[in-house]
Amino acid sequence: MKKNPQTAACLLIGDELLSGRTRDANANTLAKALYAKGIELIEVRIVPDEHKTIGNALIDLKVKADIVITSGGIGPTHDDITADAVSAALGRKTVEHDGAMKILKAHYAAKDEEVTDARRRMARMPKDAELIANSVSGAPGFRVENVYVLAGVPAIFDAMLEEVLAAVPDGEPETVYHVTGEAKESDLADGLRDLETALKGLKIGSYPGPTGKGGPLTIVCRSRSASVCEQAALAVKALFTAQGKEAEIGQGDRPA
Amino acid sequence: MKKNPQTAACLLIGDELLSGRTRDANANTLAKALYAKGIELIEVRIVPDEHKTIGNALIDLKVKADIVITSGGIGPTHDDITADAVSAALGRKTVEHDGAMKILKAHYAAKDEEVTDARRRMARMPKDAELIANSVSGAPGFRVENVYVLAGVPAIFDAMLEEVLAAVPDGEPETVYHVTGEAKESDLADGLRDLETALKGLKIGSYPGPTGKGGPLTIVCRSRSASVCEQAALAVKALFTAQGKEAEIGQGDRPA
């Protein structure tokens, strides 16, 4: 993988996400963590537990982004096929990883349980994979090339993600300000467009509330230049003022 | 579009989803609604507010699935570029839709407000688009070919989705049973694999709790054949029993 990844993509694997049984939590966790590190998340995909579909999506994403982080499909049951799909997509054999087997043996020995054949499956990984520690339930994830394979269970995903991100150098975080007030976004639209055009390296997002029926409007300004971002936030506040509306400026993408 | 869509894909559009500012709710809403109708959701993608990226994803998905449902980017501000991106991807002009303009004029007249240039943008759609009513805030979504373009604000997305699905015929819903008990999934893994192999048209998913530290295990059986699914649920319960564990069978993908 690149030593200093600038971009990332996320591949969520699981029939339960597409049937609606489970509402994914991991993409948002990942998005926030990457954003804080200054690494740009450029795409998220959800695919079912199907060998070829997983592989095709993985190949697409690993070309588009510097790193790919996957979630799901690395447990002990028959529907856990991520390791095999990743191996096939990368043209590698799937092998039993010695280090992973050691971890599984120690984990289950401590609970006075056996490493059954099903549990042993959790040590199967693409050849030459590096382990990602699982502080919650033993069975590790793995990295191969620029692909990080994490568990889907949110508590385990979170723990593995912490391991992964600790080893990845920070990118260049953006400066972010929000401006919140009671104006209508259509009344600010022309001014926002002009502002984004006028200030180089500035991105502006306009976010009305979730109801679609009014409530506070939040304008988010983002830039790699702190001074551009500050200038933009003040200009956005002036747009509210021009509508006779009060507005509050704050750091980050929303009021605390 | 096909008269009886069997498969669907979902395209979520918005920088705020990839920066982690917003945790998407619409994909799960859509997944559950499609599942209940017997239409298979085969992929979800999240992409940023970028013209070409939206277009490329749309072209990919509209070939893969019978229908594509998009969310986000149809408001009045400069970052709302979905209509233009969809037009470009489908090789159509973007035009001001007469019916949409009528709706906007009536909506704002009723509030004694003007249709400003920014609001007028919300009537811009690919040529020959059909409107999707918005019972929450006026500005409609649209359908063109097999692509349904909905708002990202969850309350508006929900209202538009209801309109869309009322006009789409039901597919063939699966029969679904769950079996829940305190067993470990690795102890059931071999039996589940054998069962899925033995019964044609059966899919089995194994879902431990979200903590990764035990708690009830739920096995979900799905099939277009009700009798296969019932047979499978009984067999799964027998796998729990063989481990000396009690288990409850119920309809649907989880305990009520």
Side-chain angles (χ1 to χ4, degrees), chain A residues 23 185 206-218 254, chain B residues 16 21-26 134 136-137 151-159:
Chain A
R23 181 182 169 197
E185 69 170 343
S206 171
Y207 305 110
T211 63
K213 291 203 178 274
L217 171 70
T218 299
R254 71 186 67 210
Chain B
E16 72 280 15
R21 181 181 191 277
T22 302
R23 180 182 169 197
D24 166 67
N26 297 340
N134 169 359
V136 176
S137 60
V153 173
I156 308 178
F157 181 88
D158 295 354

PDB file of all heavy atoms in Angstrom, chain A residues 23 185 206-218 254, chain B residues 16 21-26 134 136-137 151-159:
ATOM      1  N   ARG A  23     -29.298  -2.113   9.877  1.00  0.00           N
ATOM      2  CA  ARG A  23     -28.897  -0.796   9.375  1.00  0.00           C
ATOM      3  C   ARG A  23     -27.416  -0.629   9.670  1.00  0.00           C
ATOM      4  O   ARG A  23     -27.002  -0.646  10.825  1.00  0.00           O
ATOM      5  CB  ARG A  23     -29.707   0.302  10.064  1.00  0.00           C
ATOM      6  CG  ARG A  23     -29.326   1.688   9.555  1.00  0.00           C
ATOM      7  CD  ARG A  23     -30.086   2.797  10.267  1.00  0.00           C
ATOM      8  NE  ARG A  23     -29.508   4.090   9.935  1.00  0.00           N
ATOM      9  CZ  ARG A  23     -29.718   5.205  10.619  1.00  0.00           C
ATOM     10  NH1 ARG A  23     -30.506   5.191  11.677  1.00  0.00           N
ATOM     11  NH2 ARG A  23     -29.149   6.325  10.253  1.00  0.00           N
ATOM     12  N   GLU A 185     -32.779  27.822   2.648  1.00  0.00           N
ATOM     13  CA  GLU A 185     -31.584  27.633   1.834  1.00  0.00           C
ATOM     14  C   GLU A 185     -31.743  28.250   0.445  1.00  0.00           C
ATOM     15  O   GLU A 185     -30.770  28.711  -0.139  1.00  0.00           O
ATOM     16  CB  GLU A 185     -31.153  26.159   1.767  1.00  0.00           C
ATOM     17  CG  GLU A 185     -32.035  25.217   1.015  1.00  0.00           C
ATOM     18  CD  GLU A 185     -31.354  23.839   0.828  1.00  0.00           C
ATOM     19  OE1 GLU A 185     -30.123  23.713   0.981  1.00  0.00           O
ATOM     20  OE2 GLU A 185     -32.077  22.905   0.508  1.00  0.00           O
ATOM     21  N   SER A 206     -24.905  22.755   1.910  1.00  0.00           N
ATOM     22  CA  SER A 206     -26.080  23.389   2.511  1.00  0.00           C
ATOM     23  C   SER A 206     -27.011  22.301   3.023  1.00  0.00           C
ATOM     24  O   SER A 206     -27.453  21.453   2.254  1.00  0.00           O
ATOM     25  CB  SER A 206     -26.776  24.243   1.447  1.00  0.00           C
ATOM     26  OG  SER A 206     -28.023  24.694   1.926  1.00  0.00           O
ATOM     27  N   TYR A 207     -27.296  22.308   4.337  1.00  0.00           N
ATOM     28  CA  TYR A 207     -28.034  21.207   4.947  1.00  0.00           C
ATOM     29  C   TYR A 207     -29.230  21.680   5.757  1.00  0.00           C
ATOM     30  O   TYR A 207     -29.083  22.139   6.889  1.00  0.00           O
ATOM     31  CB  TYR A 207     -27.090  20.370   5.827  1.00  0.00           C
ATOM     32  CG  TYR A 207     -25.898  19.893   5.040  1.00  0.00           C
ATOM     33  CD1 TYR A 207     -24.628  20.395   5.281  1.00  0.00           C
ATOM     34  CD2 TYR A 207     -26.066  18.990   3.998  1.00  0.00           C
ATOM     35  CE1 TYR A 207     -23.542  19.985   4.515  1.00  0.00           C
ATOM     36  CE2 TYR A 207     -24.992  18.579   3.228  1.00  0.00           C
ATOM     37  CZ  TYR A 207     -23.732  19.080   3.493  1.00  0.00           C
ATOM     38  OH  TYR A 207     -22.672  18.686   2.727  1.00  0.00           O
ATOM     39  N   PRO A 208     -30.427  21.599   5.152  1.00  0.00           N
ATOM     40  CA  PRO A 208     -31.638  21.885   5.920  1.00  0.00           C
ATOM     41  C   PRO A 208     -31.872  20.735   6.902  1.00  0.00           C
ATOM     42  O   PRO A 208     -31.200  19.711   6.829  1.00  0.00           O
ATOM     43  CB  PRO A 208     -32.728  21.935   4.851  1.00  0.00           C
ATOM     44  CG  PRO A 208     -32.204  21.137   3.701  1.00  0.00           C
ATOM     45  CD  PRO A 208     -30.704  21.155   3.784  1.00  0.00           C
ATOM     46  N   GLY A 209     -32.803  20.899   7.808  1.00  0.00           N
ATOM     47  CA  GLY A 209     -33.076  19.850   8.797  1.00  0.00           C
ATOM     48  C   GLY A 209     -33.685  18.610   8.161  1.00  0.00           C
ATOM     49  O   GLY A 209     -34.035  18.617   6.983  1.00  0.00           O
ATOM     50  N   PRO A 210     -33.819  17.512   8.938  1.00  0.00           N
ATOM     51  CA  PRO A 210     -34.266  16.232   8.403  1.00  0.00           C
ATOM     52  C   PRO A 210     -35.761  16.153   8.106  1.00  0.00           C
ATOM     53  O   PRO A 210     -36.213  15.200   7.490  1.00  0.00           O
ATOM     54  CB  PRO A 210     -33.892  15.240   9.508  1.00  0.00           C
ATOM     55  CG  PRO A 210     -33.892  16.047  10.758  1.00  0.00           C
ATOM     56  CD  PRO A 210     -33.472  17.434  10.362  1.00  0.00           C
ATOM     57  N   THR A 211     -36.539  17.143   8.529  1.00  0.00           N
ATOM     58  CA  THR A 211     -37.992  17.020   8.380  1.00  0.00           C
ATOM     59  C   THR A 211     -38.480  17.540   7.041  1.00  0.00           C
ATOM     60  O   THR A 211     -39.573  17.203   6.602  1.00  0.00           O
ATOM     61  CB  THR A 211     -38.724  17.837   9.459  1.00  0.00           C
ATOM     62  OG1 THR A 211     -38.402  19.222   9.264  1.00  0.00           O
ATOM     63  CG2 THR A 211     -38.297  17.410  10.845  1.00  0.00           C
ATOM     64  N   GLY A 212     -37.690  18.398   6.373  1.00  0.00           N
ATOM     65  CA  GLY A 212     -38.159  19.009   5.138  1.00  0.00           C
ATOM     66  C   GLY A 212     -39.152  20.132   5.389  1.00  0.00           C
ATOM     67  O   GLY A 212     -39.709  20.700   4.468  1.00  0.00           O
ATOM     68  N   LYS A 213     -39.396  20.459   6.652  1.00  0.00           N
ATOM     69  CA  LYS A 213     -40.393  21.479   6.989  1.00  0.00           C
ATOM     70  C   LYS A 213     -39.779  22.601   7.825  1.00  0.00           C
ATOM     71  O   LYS A 213     -40.308  22.981   8.865  1.00  0.00           O
ATOM     72  CB  LYS A 213     -41.552  20.845   7.763  1.00  0.00           C
ATOM     73  CG  LYS A 213     -42.402  19.909   6.936  1.00  0.00           C
ATOM     74  CD  LYS A 213     -43.784  19.770   7.560  1.00  0.00           C
ATOM     75  CE  LYS A 213     -44.701  18.886   6.741  1.00  0.00           C
ATOM     76  NZ  LYS A 213     -45.400  19.590   5.677  1.00  0.00           N
ATOM     77  N   GLY A 214     -38.644  23.126   7.378  1.00  0.00           N
ATOM     78  CA  GLY A 214     -38.031  24.228   8.102  1.00  0.00           C
ATOM     79  C   GLY A 214     -37.189  23.757   9.270  1.00  0.00           C
ATOM     80  O   GLY A 214     -36.753  22.612   9.309  1.00  0.00           O
ATOM     81  N   GLY A 215     -36.953  24.641  10.221  1.00  0.00           N
ATOM     82  CA  GLY A 215     -35.990  24.350  11.281  1.00  0.00           C
ATOM     83  C   GLY A 215     -34.660  24.922  10.847  1.00  0.00           C
ATOM     84  O   GLY A 215     -34.526  25.418   9.729  1.00  0.00           O
ATOM     85  N   PRO A 216     -33.643  24.877  11.722  1.00  0.00           N
ATOM     86  CA  PRO A 216     -32.388  25.560  11.423  1.00  0.00           C
ATOM     87  C   PRO A 216     -31.726  25.015  10.156  1.00  0.00           C
ATOM     88  O   PRO A 216     -31.782  23.819   9.882  1.00  0.00           O
ATOM     89  CB  PRO A 216     -31.519  25.256  12.644  1.00  0.00           C
ATOM     90  CG  PRO A 216     -32.407  24.708  13.682  1.00  0.00           C
ATOM     91  CD  PRO A 216     -33.634  24.181  13.006  1.00  0.00           C
ATOM     92  N   LEU A 217     -31.118  25.932   9.423  1.00  0.00           N
ATOM     93  CA  LEU A 217     -30.333  25.591   8.239  1.00  0.00           C
ATOM     94  C   LEU A 217     -28.863  25.664   8.631  1.00  0.00           C
ATOM     95  O   LEU A 217     -28.450  26.610   9.304  1.00  0.00           O
ATOM     96  CB  LEU A 217     -30.625  26.602   7.132  1.00  0.00           C
ATOM     97  CG  LEU A 217     -29.737  26.545   5.889  1.00  0.00           C
ATOM     98  CD1 LEU A 217     -30.026  25.278   5.075  1.00  0.00           C
ATOM     99  CD2 LEU A 217     -29.950  27.785   5.028  1.00  0.00           C
ATOM    100  N   THR A 218     -28.076  24.657   8.232  1.00  0.00           N
ATOM    101  CA  THR A 218     -26.643  24.696   8.512  1.00  0.00           C
ATOM    102  C   THR A 218     -25.861  24.729   7.203  1.00  0.00           C
ATOM    103  O   THR A 218     -26.082  23.895   6.325  1.00  0.00           O
ATOM    104  CB  THR A 218     -26.209  23.476   9.352  1.00  0.00           C
ATOM    105  OG1 THR A 218     -26.903  23.507  10.601  1.00  0.00           O
ATOM    106  CG2 THR A 218     -24.708  23.509   9.618  1.00  0.00           C
ATOM    107  N   ARG A 254     -21.069  21.001  12.508  1.00  0.00           N
ATOM    108  CA  ARG A 254     -22.411  21.189  13.072  1.00  0.00           C
ATOM    109  C   ARG A 254     -22.298  21.818  14.450  1.00  0.00           C
ATOM    110  O   ARG A 254     -21.241  21.740  15.069  1.00  0.00           O
ATOM    111  CB  ARG A 254     -23.117  19.851  13.199  1.00  0.00           C
ATOM    112  CG  ARG A 254     -22.502  18.987  14.308  1.00  0.00           C
ATOM    113  CD  ARG A 254     -23.117  17.630  14.326  1.00  0.00           C
ATOM    114  NE  ARG A 254     -22.756  16.910  13.129  1.00  0.00           N
ATOM    115  CZ  ARG A 254     -23.511  15.982  12.555  1.00  0.00           C
ATOM    116  NH1 ARG A 254     -24.683  15.692  13.062  1.00  0.00           N
ATOM    117  NH2 ARG A 254     -23.096  15.348  11.499  1.00  0.00           N
TER     118      ARG A 254
ATOM    119  N   GLU B  16     -21.773  14.957   2.529  1.00  0.00           N
ATOM    120  CA  GLU B  16     -21.981  14.872   3.976  1.00  0.00           C
ATOM    121  C   GLU B  16     -22.041  13.425   4.461  1.00  0.00           C
ATOM    122  O   GLU B  16     -21.799  13.140   5.630  1.00  0.00           O
ATOM    123  CB  GLU B  16     -23.252  15.638   4.374  1.00  0.00           C
ATOM    124  CG  GLU B  16     -24.578  14.996   3.978  1.00  0.00           C
ATOM    125  CD  GLU B  16     -24.980  15.229   2.517  1.00  0.00           C
ATOM    126  OE1 GLU B  16     -24.112  15.650   1.716  1.00  0.00           O
ATOM    127  OE2 GLU B  16     -26.150  14.979   2.187  1.00  0.00           O
ATOM    128  N   ARG B  21     -20.515  13.511   8.398  1.00  0.00           N
ATOM    129  CA  ARG B  21     -21.404  14.484   9.040  1.00  0.00           C
ATOM    130  C   ARG B  21     -22.790  13.887   9.253  1.00  0.00           C
ATOM    131  O   ARG B  21     -23.419  14.083  10.283  1.00  0.00           O
ATOM    132  CB  ARG B  21     -21.509  15.742   8.170  1.00  0.00           C
ATOM    133  CG  ARG B  21     -22.391  16.803   8.780  1.00  0.00           C
ATOM    134  CD  ARG B  21     -22.512  18.036   7.898  1.00  0.00           C
ATOM    135  NE  ARG B  21     -23.136  19.094   8.656  1.00  0.00           N
ATOM    136  CZ  ARG B  21     -24.454  19.212   8.822  1.00  0.00           C
ATOM    137  NH1 ARG B  21     -25.270  18.354   8.269  1.00  0.00           N
ATOM    138  NH2 ARG B  21     -24.940  20.189   9.560  1.00  0.00           N
ATOM    139  N   THR B  22     -23.273  13.169   8.241  1.00  0.00           N
ATOM    140  CA  THR B  22     -24.607  12.581   8.285  1.00  0.00           C
ATOM    141  C   THR B  22     -24.505  11.070   8.178  1.00  0.00           C
ATOM    142  O   THR B  22     -23.800  10.556   7.312  1.00  0.00           O
ATOM    143  CB  THR B  22     -25.450  13.105   7.096  1.00  0.00           C
ATOM    144  OG1 THR B  22     -25.497  14.527   7.166  1.00  0.00           O
ATOM    145  CG2 THR B  22     -26.860  12.539   7.128  1.00  0.00           C
ATOM    146  N   ARG B  23     -25.208  10.358   9.069  1.00  0.00           N
ATOM    147  CA  ARG B  23     -25.321   8.909   8.929  1.00  0.00           C
ATOM    148  C   ARG B  23     -26.567   8.635   8.102  1.00  0.00           C
ATOM    149  O   ARG B  23     -27.679   8.981   8.505  1.00  0.00           O
ATOM    150  CB  ARG B  23     -25.433   8.243  10.297  1.00  0.00           C
ATOM    151  CG  ARG B  23     -25.542   6.725  10.190  1.00  0.00           C
ATOM    152  CD  ARG B  23     -25.699   6.056  11.543  1.00  0.00           C
ATOM    153  NE  ARG B  23     -26.055   4.647  11.355  1.00  0.00           N
ATOM    154  CZ  ARG B  23     -26.574   3.873  12.294  1.00  0.00           C
ATOM    155  NH1 ARG B  23     -26.790   4.362  13.500  1.00  0.00           N
ATOM    156  NH2 ARG B  23     -26.881   2.619  12.041  1.00  0.00           N
ATOM    157  N   ASP B  24     -26.376   8.021   6.934  1.00  0.00           N
ATOM    158  CA  ASP B  24     -27.502   7.786   6.039  1.00  0.00           C
ATOM    159  C   ASP B  24     -28.593   6.955   6.700  1.00  0.00           C
ATOM    160  O   ASP B  24     -28.319   5.973   7.385  1.00  0.00           O
ATOM    161  CB  ASP B  24     -27.038   7.051   4.783  1.00  0.00           C
ATOM    162  CG  ASP B  24     -28.231   6.504   4.019  1.00  0.00           C
ATOM    163  OD1 ASP B  24     -29.004   7.323   3.501  1.00  0.00           O
ATOM    164  OD2 ASP B  24     -28.427   5.271   3.992  1.00  0.00           O
ATOM    165  N   ALA B  25     -29.838   7.345   6.457  1.00  0.00           N
ATOM    166  CA  ALA B  25     -30.979   6.561   6.928  1.00  0.00           C
ATOM    167  C   ALA B  25     -31.747   5.965   5.752  1.00  0.00           C
ATOM    168  O   ALA B  25     -32.486   4.996   5.910  1.00  0.00           O
ATOM    169  CB  ALA B  25     -31.918   7.452   7.743  1.00  0.00           C
ATOM    170  N   ASN B  26     -31.575   6.536   4.558  1.00  0.00           N
ATOM    171  CA  ASN B  26     -32.462   6.187   3.447  1.00  0.00           C
ATOM    172  C   ASN B  26     -32.222   4.792   2.874  1.00  0.00           C
ATOM    173  O   ASN B  26     -33.169   4.132   2.443  1.00  0.00           O
ATOM    174  CB  ASN B  26     -32.339   7.234   2.334  1.00  0.00           C
ATOM    175  CG  ASN B  26     -32.780   8.606   2.808  1.00  0.00           C
ATOM    176  OD1 ASN B  26     -33.498   8.724   3.799  1.00  0.00           O
ATOM    177  ND2 ASN B  26     -32.340   9.655   2.126  1.00  0.00           N
ATOM    178  N   ASN B 134     -44.123  15.138  -4.001  1.00  0.00           N
ATOM    179  CA  ASN B 134     -43.500  15.406  -2.709  1.00  0.00           C
ATOM    180  C   ASN B 134     -44.562  16.007  -1.797  1.00  0.00           C
ATOM    181  O   ASN B 134     -44.872  17.189  -1.875  1.00  0.00           O
ATOM    182  CB  ASN B 134     -42.337  16.377  -2.916  1.00  0.00           C
ATOM    183  CG  ASN B 134     -41.771  16.944  -1.624  1.00  0.00           C
ATOM    184  OD1 ASN B 134     -42.254  16.633  -0.540  1.00  0.00           O
ATOM    185  ND2 ASN B 134     -40.758  17.776  -1.745  1.00  0.00           N
ATOM    186  N   VAL B 136     -44.418  16.538   1.274  1.00  0.00           N
ATOM    187  CA  VAL B 136     -43.866  17.229   2.442  1.00  0.00           C
ATOM    188  C   VAL B 136     -43.540  18.689   2.141  1.00  0.00           C
ATOM    189  O   VAL B 136     -43.927  19.589   2.886  1.00  0.00           O
ATOM    190  CB  VAL B 136     -42.591  16.513   2.952  1.00  0.00           C
ATOM    191  CG1 VAL B 136     -41.962  17.272   4.110  1.00  0.00           C
ATOM    192  CG2 VAL B 136     -42.917  15.084   3.360  1.00  0.00           C
ATOM    193  N   SER B 137     -42.821  18.933   1.034  1.00  0.00           N
ATOM    194  CA  SER B 137     -42.310  20.291   0.821  1.00  0.00           C
ATOM    195  C   SER B 137     -42.417  20.770  -0.624  1.00  0.00           C
ATOM    196  O   SER B 137     -41.699  21.678  -1.033  1.00  0.00           O
ATOM    197  CB  SER B 137     -40.848  20.360   1.274  1.00  0.00           C
ATOM    198  OG  SER B 137     -40.064  19.448   0.526  1.00  0.00           O
ATOM    199  N   ALA B 151     -35.405  12.950  -3.098  1.00  0.00           N
ATOM    200  CA  ALA B 151     -34.696  13.884  -2.219  1.00  0.00           C
ATOM    201  C   ALA B 151     -33.921  13.118  -1.151  1.00  0.00           C
ATOM    202  O   ALA B 151     -34.252  11.974  -0.819  1.00  0.00           O
ATOM    203  CB  ALA B 151     -35.692  14.825  -1.559  1.00  0.00           C
ATOM    204  N   GLY B 152     -32.894  13.761  -0.587  1.00  0.00           N
ATOM    205  CA  GLY B 152     -32.088  13.124   0.445  1.00  0.00           C
ATOM    206  C   GLY B 152     -32.621  13.326   1.855  1.00  0.00           C
ATOM    207  O   GLY B 152     -32.386  12.492   2.737  1.00  0.00           O
ATOM    208  N   VAL B 153     -33.338  14.427   2.081  1.00  0.00           N
ATOM    209  CA  VAL B 153     -33.915  14.675   3.414  1.00  0.00           C
ATOM    210  C   VAL B 153     -34.836  13.499   3.756  1.00  0.00           C
ATOM    211  O   VAL B 153     -35.768  13.211   3.004  1.00  0.00           O
ATOM    212  CB  VAL B 153     -34.708  15.998   3.413  1.00  0.00           C
ATOM    213  CG1 VAL B 153     -35.460  16.190   4.719  1.00  0.00           C
ATOM    214  CG2 VAL B 153     -33.773  17.173   3.152  1.00  0.00           C
ATOM    215  N   PRO B 154     -34.569  12.788   4.867  1.00  0.00           N
ATOM    216  CA  PRO B 154     -35.273  11.525   5.113  1.00  0.00           C
ATOM    217  C   PRO B 154     -36.805  11.613   5.055  1.00  0.00           C
ATOM    218  O   PRO B 154     -37.443  10.744   4.449  1.00  0.00           O
ATOM    219  CB  PRO B 154     -34.782  11.122   6.509  1.00  0.00           C
ATOM    220  CG  PRO B 154     -33.394  11.666   6.562  1.00  0.00           C
ATOM    221  CD  PRO B 154     -33.464  12.994   5.846  1.00  0.00           C
ATOM    222  N   ALA B 155     -37.395  12.653   5.634  1.00  0.00           N
ATOM    223  CA  ALA B 155     -38.862  12.723   5.634  1.00  0.00           C
ATOM    224  C   ALA B 155     -39.397  12.847   4.203  1.00  0.00           C
ATOM    225  O   ALA B 155     -40.457  12.298   3.873  1.00  0.00           O
ATOM    226  CB  ALA B 155     -39.335  13.901   6.482  1.00  0.00           C
ATOM    227  N   ILE B 156     -38.662  13.557   3.353  1.00  0.00           N
ATOM    228  CA  ILE B 156     -39.101  13.720   1.957  1.00  0.00           C
ATOM    229  C   ILE B 156     -38.810  12.450   1.159  1.00  0.00           C
ATOM    230  O   ILE B 156     -39.623  12.007   0.341  1.00  0.00           O
ATOM    231  CB  ILE B 156     -38.409  14.948   1.313  1.00  0.00           C
ATOM    232  CG1 ILE B 156     -38.592  16.186   2.200  1.00  0.00           C
ATOM    233  CG2 ILE B 156     -38.971  15.194  -0.077  1.00  0.00           C
ATOM    234  CD1 ILE B 156     -37.899  17.436   1.671  1.00  0.00           C
ATOM    235  N   PHE B 157     -37.653  11.844   1.423  1.00  0.00           N
ATOM    236  CA  PHE B 157     -37.326  10.568   0.773  1.00  0.00           C
ATOM    237  C   PHE B 157     -38.427   9.543   1.051  1.00  0.00           C
ATOM    238  O   PHE B 157     -38.911   8.865   0.140  1.00  0.00           O
ATOM    239  CB  PHE B 157     -35.976  10.048   1.286  1.00  0.00           C
ATOM    240  CG  PHE B 157     -35.546   8.740   0.662  1.00  0.00           C
ATOM    241  CD1 PHE B 157     -34.824   8.724  -0.521  1.00  0.00           C
ATOM    242  CD2 PHE B 157     -35.871   7.529   1.256  1.00  0.00           C
ATOM    243  CE1 PHE B 157     -34.435   7.521  -1.106  1.00  0.00           C
ATOM    244  CE2 PHE B 157     -35.490   6.320   0.681  1.00  0.00           C
ATOM    245  CZ  PHE B 157     -34.769   6.319  -0.503  1.00  0.00           C
ATOM    246  N   ASP B 158     -38.827   9.446   2.309  1.00  0.00           N
ATOM    247  CA  ASP B 158     -39.858   8.472   2.698  1.00  0.00           C
ATOM    248  C   ASP B 158     -41.159   8.712   1.930  1.00  0.00           C
ATOM    249  O   ASP B 158     -41.785   7.772   1.432  1.00  0.00           O
ATOM    250  CB  ASP B 158     -40.143   8.560   4.200  1.00  0.00           C
ATOM    251  CG  ASP B 158     -38.942   8.153   5.047  1.00  0.00           C
ATOM    252  OD1 ASP B 158     -37.933   7.696   4.477  1.00  0.00           O
ATOM    253  OD2 ASP B 158     -39.019   8.305   6.279  1.00  0.00           O
ATOM    254  N   ALA B 159     -41.559   9.994   1.848  1.00  0.00           N
ATOM    255  CA  ALA B 159     -42.823  10.327   1.180  1.00  0.00           C
ATOM    256  C   ALA B 159     -42.741  10.010  -0.312  1.00  0.00           C
ATOM    257  O   ALA B 159     -43.685   9.465  -0.902  1.00  0.00           O
ATOM    258  CB  ALA B 159     -43.149  11.806   1.396  1.00  0.00           C
TER     259      ALA B 159
END
